[in-house]
Amino acid sequence: MAASYILLLSALLALAASPAMAGDPSALQDLCVADNTSDVFVNGLACKDPKLVKAEDFFFSGLDKPRNTTNKVGSNVTLVNVNRIPGLNTLGISMARVDFAPYGLNPPHTHPRATEILTVLEGSLYGLIHFQFNHGTRNAVALAALSSQNPGAITIASAVFGSKPPISDDVLAKAFQVDEMTVHRIQAQF
Amino acid sequence: MAASYILLLSALLALAASPAMAGDPSALQDLCVADNTSDVFVNGLACKDPKLVKAEDFFFSGLDKPRNTTNKVGSNVTLVNVNRIPGLNTLGISMARVDFAPYGLNPPHTHPRATEILTVLEGSLYGLIHFQFNHGTRNAVALAALSSQNPGAITIASAVFGSKPPISDDVLAKAFQVDEMTVHRIQAQF
Amino acid sequence: MAASYILLLSALLALAASPAMAGDPSALQDLCVADNTSDVFVNGLACKDPKLVKAEDFFFSGLDKPRNTTNKVGSNVTLVNVNRIPGLNTLGISMARVDFAPYGLNPPHTHPRATEILTVLEGSLYGLIHFQFNHGTRNAVALAALSSQNPGAITIASAVFGSKPPISDDVLAKAFQVDEMTVHRIQAQF
Amino acid sequence: MAASYILLLSALLALAASPAMAGDPSALQDLCVADNTSDVFVNGLACKDPKLVKAEDFFFSGLDKPRNTTNKVGSNVTLVNVNRIPGLNTLGISMARVDFAPYGLNPPHTHPRATEILTVLEGSLYGLIHFQFNHGTRNAVALAALSSQNPGAITIASAVFGSKPPISDDVLAKAFQVDEMTVHRIQAQF
Amino acid sequence: MAASYILLLSALLALAASPAMAGDPSALQDLCVADNTSDVFVNGLACKDPKLVKAEDFFFSGLDKPRNTTNKVGSNVTLVNVNRIPGLNTLGISMARVDFAPYGLNPPHTHPRATEILTVLEGSLYGLIHFQFNHGTRNAVALAALSSQNPGAITIASAVFGSKPPISDDVLAKAFQVDEMTVHRIQAQF
Amino acid sequence: MAASYILLLSALLALAASPAMAGDPSALQDLCVADNTSDVFVNGLACKDPKLVKAEDFFFSGLDKPRNTTNKVGSNVTLVNVNRIPGLNTLGISMARVDFAPYGLNPPHTHPRATEILTVLEGSLYGLIHFQFNHGTRNAVALAALSSQNPGAITIASAVFGSKPPISDDVLAKAFQVDEMTVHRIQAQF
């Protein structure tokens, strides 16, 4: 079974260079595990009292489960950032599992605080211009690594057409060079 | 006349927080003026021989001239980055003048390597969600400062619909939840 | 009137490369608006609870008003840093308006945490060696952008001769190679 | 088959916090693909002429192949850093596939320029104190992501006992509190 | 006496380039003196209320006293980091005095957050591969400067053989290619 | 003799917090020894071909020799930066020996790219506000460590009154609030 798995591991390593290229500030101590209950807000996250740190602060399980991809775009991103693994605080790295249905799309997006390297575990993807598309007839799965504890994500279509508060119709009509009717129709999807 | 100018200086300082938040690497010497003729390519730009640096490497003139805004969006960005002022190399800062016709729009965009602070010199602008819109009946002018020598700019609509090579129709149709006909119509504008 | 303003906009963009060249640490989340009432002191400023952030945290108005330049040096710096715009926290950028009377001087200074790019809006200035001097007979106005949320400023003459506690006379006499009487005379001005 | 793969995907995400915590300097342009033929040596790698960049500079294939683990420690690290994917230059990220035979060990090590997040794809590993050990009777496979284009690796035992030039016997005997005979015996293995 | 001291000052400046090469994040204000009594935990240390800062926060005395080197390795490191000088907080620098008995050894180690420059004040040292050894018959003294307020130190032998909780015997036996008996014997020393 | 030296080692560790607080960009490889003969100019220094690196690239000797302090200020700074030790390139650290005659002064200055920690080896110094003064009747010696490979130094009096090209008299007279005659007299000393 291990063998079968390895045959399925994709022959493709796609580097999805997100256009934003920041680096998190360096750590100043060995451990600064995020304290999710703190009422102190700082750049990043306040740390737990070091005496209260536990081994579980560094683990996350359950990434082996396939995600539900029955949605409009046919993909599902499971982000494992500092909110999921408190021990990632100040370490400048995080990851994600991305599931794709056949013809599923992880739509065009940017990560404002991270670069990314993507490993295709199963299936094959068409990518590189900041989106990934499963052009095959089977499911695809990829693992992404991102150079920030909290990379962020701006999915362009929903950020623009699903913004809250909404960007006014005339602005979007001018930006995308369409009539306001089309803008309305697109906005209704987000 | 100076007085009249000052009355026109806008009462509004708009902070346009671009979503990308990198900081350029620090300088390692007093001067590293960009050498635009070098055939050495590095992260940033190679420097001129310090003995050849001139005062003009630190100046740029002509920002006082209004720019032509007769285009589809009614705005014009004059970026003054390290390519225009070689002395900006390694300094981590640059600026831009933005001209707006009445109802002109600087369309939704991100700067992958910079944050931004925007001063409205004339007129008034509707902004903050990463675009600026002149909602008045007169011209508007703004000065932007950006925290990188080479902030970059991704104008969302043209990056997505005017990409070269083009992103395929089915991908865009799925991303924006429209039919491929509409995608074609939008692509034709870029 | 817009036209007259634009004619007055100076033909000169002066880059005032301050000798200090730090870059603020990168942001780790989308928003970390400074909480000026916090009793938590950290590198930079603690953030407000994100649920309490308001649009006004990103604006500052009143930069259109000319400043009073009737002082010993004939200039006036209006700094708009993170203390004035809480939304600048973690963004690594700020700005200033500088007013100059005829023959007014922004005296020699350094910014310990920032580089600077200076746009002359009106009049003309003699500059570049870390000071600006209005050598004309009219007022001058400039906008400075600085690559830190809190650039700091060390005005050399007052830091040295107006230091509190004062630097002793014999130290200053030796540093500036003058007699102690002259030191006393200079110190009395600060 | 996809299903069987997913069942094998480990339930464990182990964060291997390497003790070194640097962050690569930020990128200063959109692309700075490493030029492996350049005779210019800089911090990082010089870039190719942007006109010569190809899509292949961003891909690496073959990670699906199991590696040979018949060696003294029973593990094999396939590092995919900037030397393997030139497009990683200035992006501050890289990755590795690690294969483990039953009871195989990725011996204690540090990454001087990177933090790490480790996903167990198959089998289960005992880890966290900077080594990983396959304590099961089947093969194990993990993917590591590292926050540098060139993370480096110092495998402690071989760096200390296999150093070239060798560290002298009396130094090692004192450091490890053993007799010089034991030092000799260990050195002979590296 | 000053003269005699200067004759003893070593003719050797040894650069001990530790393999880890991080830089602390930049300071964001003039002073952020560490508050050792704070119950707020952040990356680095929270600052004292600036109104409570005293001159003593920037000093440390007593480095002139020779340290006791009667221990297993014949050396003694006196680290002066941010815990000893609160004013070092956010400054990215610290130092250490290292005393060596004849044939004393500062055993192989790494600094996960700092580089190092070492000045030999007295005696002479054999060094450079991340340890220092007094190969002379007299005491030796060195001053180290480190590029972090909290450089950390991983002494390899004790981190590996004296780890708490202990790394299991079979892991260490495999890593160092010795039998488990030898592992036990080494562990007993730490 | 060692004992006499240690008695002379000052009881005072003075932290001279220079107001500038940058951190050099992180290293991207194990070694990037400066190539002082390169005609490639970059931020920092180009590296030698790694195959040509020698042990001597990491050493500097001669710091034990007292320096001549018979000059106007009675002090002498011996800076050991990347130009003296090529191996410091990309390491972000450097050091200096400072000799003081009785009543000698290291005049007020800033380091634009570094913070500093100062160890008084002999004598005692009055310091902290960015200068050091030997207020005793014997020589004093200090070692400074600086958080940059090339910290730079701006000695305020000579930068202002000895600038080349000179800052005009009226600017300096206004900045220091003295008459132009006094400015002339001071300038003549630099």
Side-chain angles (χ1 to χ4, degrees), chain A residues 28, chain C residues 25 42-44 113, chain E residues 24-34 43-47 82 85-93 148-150, chain F residues 20-23 115 147:
Chain A
L28 286 162
Chain C
V42 294
N43 188 24
R113 284 180 295 280
Chain E
D24 288 4
S26 300
L28 285 163
Q29 61 260 75
D30 290 344
L31 290 181
C32 173
V33 173
N43 189 23
L45 289 161
C47 331
V82 68
I85 304 185
L88 286 178
N89 201 28
T90 76
L91 294 195
I93 201 158
S148 171
Q149 67 179 34
N150 184 24
Chain F
M21 296 176 172
T115 55
S147 65

Side-chain angles (χ1 to χ4, degrees), chain C residues 96-161:
Chain C
R97 173 192 169 120
V98 194
D99 288 83
F100 299 85
Y103 306 106
L105 173 72
N106 185 11
H109 63 282
T110 66
H111 295 292
R113 284 180 295 280
T115 54
E116 182 177 352
I117 188 168
L118 193 80
T119 309
V120 181
L121 292 184
E122 181 186 331
S124 65
L125 295 174
Y126 173 68
L128 194 57
I129 326 181
H130 318 133
F131 67 91
Q132 296 90 37
F133 181 55
N134 179 1
H135 56 85
T137 56
R138 294 193 324 201
N139 288 333
V141 183
L143 283 191
L146 299 127
S147 65
S148 171
Q149 67 179 33
N150 184 24
I154 304 174
T155 301
I156 289 169
S158 66
V160 169
F161 291 100

Side-chain angles (χ1 to χ4, degrees), chain D:
Chain D
M1 226 150 174
S4 69
Y5 151 67
I6 284 172
L7 289 175
L8 284 169
L9 187 66
S10 168
L12 178 75
L13 172 73
L15 167 76
S18 291
M21 296 176 172
D24 288 5
S26 300
L28 286 163
Q29 62 260 75
D30 290 345
L31 290 180
C32 172
V33 173
D35 177 0
N36 292 316
T37 68
S38 175
D39 56 357
V40 172
F41 299 96
V42 293
N43 188 24
L45 290 162
C47 332
K48 293 171 82 160
D49 182 331
K51 290 186 293 291
L52 305 179
V53 169
K54 295 167 299 187
E56 301 92 82
D57 292 327
F58 296 88
F59 290 93
F60 178 79
S61 66
L63 271 195
D64 59 323
K65 307 239 169 54
R67 263 61 183 173
N68 186 347
T69 55
T70 55
N71 53 43
K72 284 181 176 173
V73 289
S75 74
N76 193 334
V77 176
T78 307
L79 178 64
V80 185
N81 68 2
V82 69
N83 297 321
R84 292 272 177 95
I85 304 185
L88 287 177
N89 201 28
T90 76
L91 293 195
I93 201 157
S94 61
M95 61 159 300
R97 173 192 167 118
V98 193
D99 288 82
F100 299 85
Y103 307 106
L105 173 71
N106 185 10
H109 62 283
T110 65
H111 295 292
R113 285 179 295 280
T115 54
E116 182 176 351
I117 188 168
L118 193 80
T119 308
V120 181
L121 292 184
E122 181 186 331
S124 65
L125 295 175
Y126 173 68
L128 194 58
I129 327 182
H130 317 133
F131 67 92
Q132 295 90 39
F133 181 55
N134 179 1
H135 55 85
T137 56
R138 295 192 322 201
N139 289 333
V141 183
L143 283 191
L146 299 127
S147 64
S148 171
Q149 68 178 34
N150 185 24
I154 304 173
T155 300
I156 289 169
S158 66
V160 168
F161 291 99
S163 171
K164 289 191 177 52
I167 302 177
S168 66
D169 292 0
D170 50 346
V171 166
L172 290 176
K174 193 162 245 177
F176 285 84
Q177 301 288 317
V178 291
D179 57 278
E180 297 194 19
M181 185 73 78
T182 305
V183 167
H184 270 301
R185 226 172 45 230
I186 303 178
Q187 283 178 325
Q189 308 295 326
F190 292 96

Side-chain angles (χ1 to χ4, degrees), chain B residues 86-109:
Chain B
L88 286 177
N89 201 27
T90 77
L91 293 195
I93 201 158
S94 61
M95 62 159 300
R97 172 191 169 121
V98 194
D99 288 82
F100 299 86
Y103 306 106
L105 174 71
N106 185 11
H109 62 283

Side-chain angles (χ1 to χ4, degrees), chain C residues 30-59:
Chain C
D30 289 345
L31 289 181
C32 173
V33 173
D35 178 0
N36 292 314
T37 67
S38 175
D39 56 357
V40 173
F41 300 95
V42 294
N43 188 24
L45 289 161
C47 331
K48 293 170 83 161
D49 182 333
K51 290 186 292 292
L52 304 180
V53 169
K54 295 166 300 186
E56 301 91 82
D57 291 329
F58 296 88
F59 289 93

Side-chain angles (χ1 to χ4, degrees), chain A residues 20 27 33-34 37-38 50 56 81 95 106 118 120 134 143 147 154 161-162:
Chain A
V33 173
T37 67
S38 175
E56 300 91 83
N81 68 3
M95 61 158 301
N106 185 11
L118 193 80
V120 181
N134 179 0
L143 282 191
S147 64
I154 304 174
F161 291 100

Side-chain angles (χ1 to χ4, degrees), chain A:
Chain A
M1 227 153 173
S4 69
Y5 150 68
I6 284 172
L7 288 175
L8 284 169
L9 187 66
S10 168
L12 178 74
L13 171 72
L15 166 75
S18 290
M21 295 176 172
D24 288 5
S26 300
L28 286 162
Q29 62 260 74
D30 289 345
L31 290 180
C32 172
V33 173
D35 177 1
N36 292 316
T37 67
S38 175
D39 56 357
V40 173
F41 299 95
V42 294
N43 187 24
L45 289 161
C47 331
K48 293 171 82 162
D49 183 331
K51 290 186 291 292
L52 305 179
V53 169
K54 295 167 301 187
E56 300 91 83
D57 291 328
F58 296 89
F59 289 94
F60 178 80
S61 66
L63 270 195
D64 57 323
K65 306 237 170 53
R67 263 59 184 174
N68 186 347
T69 56
T70 55
N71 53 43
K72 284 181 176 172
V73 289
S75 74
N76 193 334
V77 176
T78 307
L79 178 64
V80 185
N81 68 3
V82 69
N83 297 321
R84 291 273 176 95
I85 304 184
L88 286 177
N89 201 28
T90 77
L91 294 195
I93 201 158
S94 60
M95 61 158 301
R97 172 192 169 118
V98 194
D99 288 82
F100 299 86
Y103 306 107
L105 173 71
N106 185 11
H109 63 282
T110 65
H111 296 291
R113 285 179 295 281
T115 54
E116 182 176 352
I117 188 168
L118 193 80
T119 309
V120 181
L121 293 184
E122 180 185 330
S124 65
L125 296 174
Y126 174 67
L128 193 59
I129 327 182
H130 316 134
F131 66 91
Q132 295 91 38
F133 180 55
N134 179 0
H135 55 86
T137 56
R138 294 192 323 199
N139 289 333
V141 183
L143 282 191
L146 299 128
S147 64
S148 171
Q149 68 179 33
N150 184 24
I154 304 174
T155 300
I156 289 168
S158 66
V160 169
F161 291 100
S163 170
K164 289 191 176 55
I167 302 177
S168 67
D169 292 1
D170 50 346
V171 166
L172 291 175
K174 193 163 244 176
F176 286 84
Q177 301 288 318
V178 291
D179 56 278
E180 298 193 19
M181 185 73 80
T182 305
V183 167
H184 270 303
R185 225 171 47 230
I186 303 179
Q187 283 178 325
Q189 308 295 325
F190 293 95

Side-chain angles (χ1 to χ4, degrees), chain E residues 146-189:
Chain E
L146 299 128
S147 65
S148 171
Q149 67 179 34
N150 184 24
I154 304 174
T155 300
I156 290 168
S158 66
V160 169
F161 291 99
S163 171
K164 289 189 176 54
I167 301 176
S168 66
D169 291 0
D170 50 346
V171 165
L172 290 176
K174 193 162 245 177
F176 286 85
Q177 301 287 318
V178 291
D179 57 277
E180 297 194 20
M181 185 72 78
T182 304
V183 167
H184 270 302
R185 227 172 44 231
I186 303 179
Q187 282 179 324
Q189 308 296 325

